[in-house]
Amino acid sequence: MSVYDVAVIGTGGVGSAALYHLAQAGANVIGLDRFAPPHSRGSSHGDTRVIRMAYFEHPDYVPLLQQAYQGWHALEELAGKQLYFPTGVLQIGPEQGDVIAGIRQSATKHNLAIESFTASEIPRTFPGVQSPENVVGILERDAGYLLVSECIATYLTGAKQLGTTLLADTPVERWEDQGNEFVLYTTGNTVRAKQLVICGGAWAAQLITDLGVPLTILRKHLYWYANESPHYTAQSKFPVFLMETPQGIYYGFPQIDSQGVKLARHDGGEPLAHAKLHSQAEDNADQTSVENFLSRYLPRLSHQRIRHAACMYTLTPDQHFLLGTHPAHPGLHFASGLSGHGFKFASALGMALADLATTGQTSAPIGFLSATRFS
Ligand SMILES: Cc1cc2nc3c(=O)[nH]c(=O)nc-3n(C[C@H](O)[C@H](O)[C@H](O)COP(=O)(O)OP(=O)(O)OC[C@H]3O[C@@H](n4cnc5c(N)ncnc54)[C@H](O)[C@@H]3O)c2cc1C
C-alpha cells in the first residue's frame, strides 16, 4: 500500500486550503472528509463570510490577515473570478466596548486605514442604519466578504488538478501515530501517511483527543430577509456591518443578487455536546432576537424571512484559534477551535499547515495561537 507524504482529515474551509498548498509544494497528498465539501453540515456554509483587517479580537491576528488577503487574491487568480468583495465593513459600538476599542488598538498598532463616524453621522451616511445612542461607527473600506463555497471548491479543484487524491463521504474513525507514519482507519479501509494534518472543524475534539484544551460547540443561525429598499444593496454602498448593542452583537451583509439581506447574531448560541447533534432546526428565541434587532436598527428592511441555515462555531476557552504542531505527535499539525471567526484566515492557515507538514516549520506569524498557551 502506498504511503502518502501527507493526509489531511477534513477538507472544508481550512483543510481545502491546506490540501491545495500541500499539492502546490509538490507533496503526494490525500484529503478525506466525512461529507463532500463544500457542504452545509459543518462550519463553512451560508454563502458569505466577513473579512476585515483592523481586528478587534486581537492585534496579533493582523500580520496573519495580511497573508490571508494575499492568499485570497491568489485564489481569485486561480478561480478566474472574484471571490472577495470589498464592500467595506462598518462596525458600530460604544467607544469603550470590545469592538471599537479593539479595532482602534489594531489599527493604531498596524497603521491601518479606518474612518470614524459619530452616532448622528451613521444614519446620515448609511441611511439604512439606525444606530444605538452613545456609539461610534468605524468603517474599514478595504474589508468585505468572501464567497465561502466558491473558495473551498476552487481550492479542492486546484488540489485535484495538481494530483491530490480526494476521498469524500469517508469519515476517518480513528488514527494511530506509529512513529514513522500515521495510519488512518475509515470504514473498511486504511490510509498511510508520513504526516497528518487535521482540520476537523466541529469534530476536532474527537480527532485530536489528547490536546487537553476543551472545545465548546455552538449551534448558530443565519437568516436572509427579502429586500426592496435601495439602502441595503452593495450598489448603494451599503457595507457589511457588525453592531455591538445592549442586546448583543449582530452582523449582516448587503443584499447580493436576489438572495436578500443576511443577518445573524454573533454572541449567544446553543451548546452541543457533539457535532453529530447538529441539525438545521430553527430556534425561535434566536430568530426573535435577530428580528428585534432588525426592527430597531434596520428600519427600512422587510421582515419577510426567505431563508434560514444553522451552522457550528467551535470555541476555545479564550476564543482564539488552536494552530500548530501537536506537542506529543511531531508529525501532526492542526487548525481547530476557530471560534466563529476563522474562515477569513483559511488561505493563510492552509499555507502555514502546508509549511509545517512539508518542512517542519513556518514563517507565518502563528506562535500566539499555539495550544501550549493553555498548559
Ligand atoms: C454562522 C457562522 C458565521 C460565521 N461567520 C464568519 C465570518 O463572517 N468570518 C469568518 O472569518 N468566520 C466566520 N465563521 C467561522 C468560520 O466559518 C469557521 O471558523 C470556518 O469556516 C471553519 O472552517 P473549518 O475548516 O475549521 O471547518 P469546516 O469547514 O466545517 O471543515 C471541517 C471538515 O472536517 C470534516 N470532518 C470532520 N470530522 C471528520 C472525520 N472524522 N473524517 C473526515 N472528515 C471529517 C467535516 O466534514 C468538514 O468538512 C462563521 C461560522 C458560522 C457557523
Side-chain angles (χ1 to χ4, degrees):
M1 184 191 299
S2 66
V3 180
Y4 290 93
D5 293 331
V6 189
V8 178
I9 305 178
T11 64
V14 181
S16 62
L19 271 181
Y20 175 73
H21 288 291
L22 284 161
Q24 223 190 13
N28 179 21
V29 57
I30 181 169
L32 304 95
D33 200 287
R34 60 168 60 248
F35 304 120
H39 61 76
S40 54
R41 298 163 84 170
S43 305
S44 301
H45 57 280
D47 304 347
T48 47
R49 290 293 184 267
V50 186
I51 177 165
R52 50 195 161 78
M53 184 85 89
Y55 216 56
F56 69 79
E57 289 85 344
H58 201 288
D60 286 357
Y61 284 98
V62 173
L64 199 54
L65 278 161
Q66 284 162 341
Q67 294 188 352
Y69 269 81
Q70 284 174 12
W72 295 123
H73 290 311
L75 190 67
E76 286 183 313
E77 282 184 28
L78 184 69
K81 63 180 182 188
Q82 191 173 3
L83 301 170
Y84 163 57
F85 292 78
T87 54
V89 173
L90 174 67
Q91 298 183 82
I92 296 171
E95 188 67 72
Q96 300 310 326
D98 290 346
V99 173
I100 298 297
I103 295 171
R104 291 206 193 282
Q105 199 190 359
S106 275
T108 303
K109 182 165 181 193
H110 296 285
N111 197 21
L112 302 174
I114 53 171
E115 291 166 46
S116 298
F117 298 85
T118 62
S120 58
E121 284 170 335
I122 294 169
R124 286 208 298 271
T125 316
F126 307 97
V129 180
Q130 194 61 49
S131 64
E133 288 177 4
N134 303 319
V135 294
V136 293
I138 294 184
L139 179 68
E140 189 182 344
R141 285 193 191 272
D142 190 16
Y145 67 85
L146 294 157
L147 293 180
V148 64
S149 298
E150 284 82 345
C151 291
I152 295 173
T154 305
Y155 273 135
L156 292 179
T157 304
K160 214 168 168 183
Q161 283 167 350
L162 292 168
T164 295
T165 305
L166 290 179
L167 297 184
D169 301 312
T170 308
V172 175
E173 288 159 3
R174 63 191 179 89
W175 55 265
E176 272 172 20
D177 182 354
Q178 296 192 340
N180 57 342
E181 63 183 30
F182 290 86
V183 184
L184 281 53
Y185 297 90
T186 67
T187 313
N189 202 359
T190 55
V191 170
R192 294 177 182 276
K194 290 180 217 153
Q195 299 276 310
L196 178 58
V197 171
I198 298 184
C199 304
W203 289 263
Q206 286 77 52
L207 286 163
I208 322 174
T209 48
D210 51 354
L211 206 53
V213 182
L215 297 175
T216 304
I217 303 170
L218 295 179
R219 208 165 71 88
K220 304 288 297 176
H221 300 269
L222 297 164
Y223 307 94
W224 286 258
Y225 293 91
N227 173 48
E228 291 185 352
S229 161
H231 296 301
Y232 301 106
T233 62
Q235 289 85 342
S236 69
K237 305 230 179 311
F238 184 68
V240 169
F241 68 90
L242 182 142
M243 202 187 287
E244 186 176 3
T245 75
Q247 295 77 34
I249 298 178
Y250 300 83
Y251 63 95
F253 295 76
Q255 180 179 3
I256 301 165
D257 303 328
S258 58
Q259 292 293 310
V261 171
K262 186 173 95 170
L263 298 182
R265 183 170 180 171
H266 180 53
D267 59 328
E270 175 197 349
L272 295 180
H274 193 292
K276 71 182 175 196
L277 300 173
H278 181 53
S279 79
Q280 291 299 317
E282 298 184 9
D283 178 329
N284 288 338
D286 186 83
Q287 185 184 335
T288 302
S289 157
V290 168
E291 291 183 0
N292 286 341
F293 168 82
L294 188 166
S295 303
R296 203 181 291 218
Y297 300 117
L298 305 172
R300 300 174 196 218
L301 183 62
S302 143
H303 279 239
Q304 191 196 338
R305 206 190 79 181
I306 52 177
R307 196 176 145 203
H308 160 264
C311 189
M312 289 179 281
Y313 281 7
T314 308
L315 304 186
T316 63
D318 61 6
Q319 299 191 24
H320 297 300
F321 310 158
L322 289 177
L323 182 67
T325 297
H326 196 293
H329 305 280
L332 164 57
H333 319 282
F334 58 88
S336 75
L338 301 186
S339 302
H341 60 111
F343 191 85
K344 63 182 79 61
F345 294 88
S347 55
L349 303 189
M351 284 186 252
L353 289 167
D355 286 346
L356 290 172
T358 52
T359 69
Q361 54 190 10
T362 179
S363 58
I366 60 168
F368 73 110
L369 301 171
S370 164
T372 55
R373 72 182 182 274
F374 292 108
S375 51

